[in-house]
Amino acid sequence: MSGVLELVRDDLRGFAGYSSARSARLDGEIWLNANESAWANPGDAQASCRRYPEPQPQELRERMAVLYGCAPEQLLLGRGSDEAIDLLVRALCVPGRDGVLCTPPVFGMYAVSARLQNAPLLEVPLRDTGAGLVPDIDAIIAAARQGNAKLVFLCSPSNPGGSSIPLAQVEQVATALHGQALVVVDEAYAEFADEPSATTLLSRHDNIAVLRTLSKAHALAAARIGCVIADAGLIAVLRTCQAPYPIPTPCSTLALEGLSDAALAKTRARIAIVRSERERLRATLGNLPNVRSVHASDGNFLLVRFTDAETAFQRLLAAGVVVRDQRAAPQLHDALRITLGTPEQNNRVLDALAALESAA
């Protein structure tokens, strides 16, 4: 065993995991090996849910591998990116010893998964600069080394900050921590950004993993399908740690339809609209007197700082618009995160906040 597999917990090396009835490659006409019902549920007219699904639906796995530019054996399907985060922490971190590093303010599941595993949480706050909230790469490397980090989570584009991390900086962290830590690049919003995917670094750095999801740009949040892309050996280990049957058959079918050529063409057109609206709203919001600043964003959202965030939040609610209150997050005591909607929905946001200025 060598390379990235040396980062796996010692007690999980060689772990076979649970072998489900669908794991064995068997052929037959009458399937009586999984204690399933012989009849379909009355509510399941197509009888699509009577049998357990494939643990890793091969057609979907292959299609997503093409979408993300990797080999199928480098990709593990799961219940959104959240399951991948949890699997990585459980598979690599010895409780009470191996640290998990993240860069607040950021997606909260990294810290939650670390807490559930009793993995020491190391936090290196993003730097609030004129360019927005950006990672302190030298501080991340130093903290990871000093705190015995086994996992380093880099969110790019960052949520809620919105900034992408240049690939050269990702590579810098991976090189510095080779043999010690896996660098996990969460690319949940990558479709809205110009920065190339960190999957392009995998051939040179086996200690990089990438998270992707169908929840954002592909509009399949309720289907709960995401993946982790990494060294094929590490993917095999993560699969042994995964609970059986992570992808329900109806969700797999929906995802395949949602990744057809026609669907992808519509998705690309909608991404273009979001990117255009992102710049329109940023410019318009930035001119409102109650707005202190609007962070540049590579995602499908804007982080907006207000002189009176509470009044802005309540005025939006009164207009029927729900945004994400970020004021409890580190450094964001005056901030709201506004997801970009349709042009008509975005106009409603602008009208509500413009009315706030008029009332003042």
Side-chain angles (χ1 to χ4, degrees):
M1 182 174 296
S2 61
V4 70
L5 294 184
E6 292 182 349
L7 301 179
V8 175
R9 284 168 41 188
D10 290 347
D11 56 322
L12 291 181
R13 296 177 185 177
F15 177 58
Y18 173 72
S19 179
S20 70
R22 289 292 172 269
S23 299
R25 295 187 176 277
L26 302 171
D27 291 318
E29 297 178 3
I30 301 174
W31 290 80
L32 302 176
N33 67 332
N35 297 338
E36 301 151 328
S37 172
W39 300 272
N41 183 280
D44 180 17
Q46 304 301 317
S48 62
C49 294
R50 179 169 70 86
R51 297 202 179 280
Y52 288 109
E54 293 180 73
Q56 290 288 297
Q58 188 61 26
E59 187 178 359
L60 179 58
R61 195 183 192 196
E62 290 174 354
R63 188 165 300 183
M64 289 179 66
V66 170
L67 181 67
Y68 297 134
C70 66
E73 58 269 21
Q74 292 178 295
L75 185 149
L76 182 75
L77 297 169
R79 302 164 179 88
S81 298
D82 300 336
E83 183 181 30
I85 293 166
D86 181 63
L87 284 172
L88 286 164
V89 175
R90 287 193 288 117
L92 271 63
C93 294
V94 174
R97 188 190 75 184
D98 298 325
V100 171
L101 188 148
C102 63
T103 57
V106 75
F107 183 45
M109 281 306 299
Y110 315 137
V112 168
S113 294
R115 175 71 180 273
L116 291 172
Q117 183 68 1
N118 190 27
L121 181 65
L122 311 170
E123 296 184 316
V124 180
L126 296 175
R127 294 186 295 115
D128 195 350
T129 71
L133 293 166
V134 299
D136 186 334
I137 298 301
D138 291 337
I140 288 170
I141 294 170
R145 286 172 170 166
Q146 183 176 358
N148 192 39
K150 185 66 75 71
L151 285 168
V152 174
F153 285 98
L154 301 177
C155 193
S156 179
S158 104
N159 170 27
S163 297
S164 294
I165 302 175
L167 285 190
Q169 294 186 358
V170 174
E171 192 162 23
Q172 181 183 349
V173 178
T175 299
L177 300 179
H178 186 264
Q180 178 194 327
L182 182 73
V183 179
V184 185
V185 186
D186 189 341
E187 295 183 348
Y189 303 94
E191 290 88 350
F192 303 101
D194 292 326
E195 189 69 27
S197 172
T199 55
T200 58
L201 302 176
L202 293 179
S203 62
R204 300 197 302 274
H205 300 277
D206 66 354
N207 66 324
I208 289 178
V210 177
L211 305 179
R212 299 300 295 256
T213 180
L214 301 185
S215 296
K216 310 299 182 183
H218 295 280
L220 292 173
R224 304 305 302 128
I225 294 178
C227 65
V228 54
I229 303 165
D231 174 86
L234 179 59
I235 291 298
V237 171
L238 296 177
R239 186 170 176 179
T240 67
C241 300
Q242 189 176 40
Y245 314 120
I247 309 297
T249 298
C251 295
S252 179
T253 301
L254 178 61
L256 284 168
E257 293 173 355
L259 296 178
S260 68
D261 290 343
L264 288 174
K266 287 187 177 181
T267 295
R268 286 191 292 269
R270 291 167 179 170
I271 290 171
I273 294 172
V274 168
R275 288 168 62 105
S276 176
E277 286 292 287
R278 185 174 66 196
E279 298 314 307
R280 178 174 77 93
L281 258 69
R282 187 184 179 211
T284 306
L285 288 169
N287 288 326
L288 296 179
N290 187 38
V291 173
R292 284 180 172 152
S293 64
V294 185
H295 286 254
S297 175
D298 292 329
N300 67 336
F301 56 86
L302 291 169
L303 185 67
V304 186
R305 295 180 181 270
F306 294 86
T307 56
D308 185 351
E310 175 62 20
T311 300
F313 186 73
Q314 294 301 330
R315 181 55 64 96
L316 287 165
L317 277 180
V321 178
V322 182
V323 299
R324 188 63 177 262
D325 189 348
Q326 296 286 170
R327 287 175 289 168
Q331 306 184 64
L332 301 182
H333 64 280
D334 57 355
L336 304 177
R337 190 193 69 193
I338 302 174
T339 302
L340 294 155
T342 65
E344 295 76 18
Q345 292 170 339
N346 296 333
N347 286 339
R348 194 161 167 179
V349 169
L350 294 174
D351 290 345
L353 294 177
L356 173 65
E357 306 305 330
S358 300

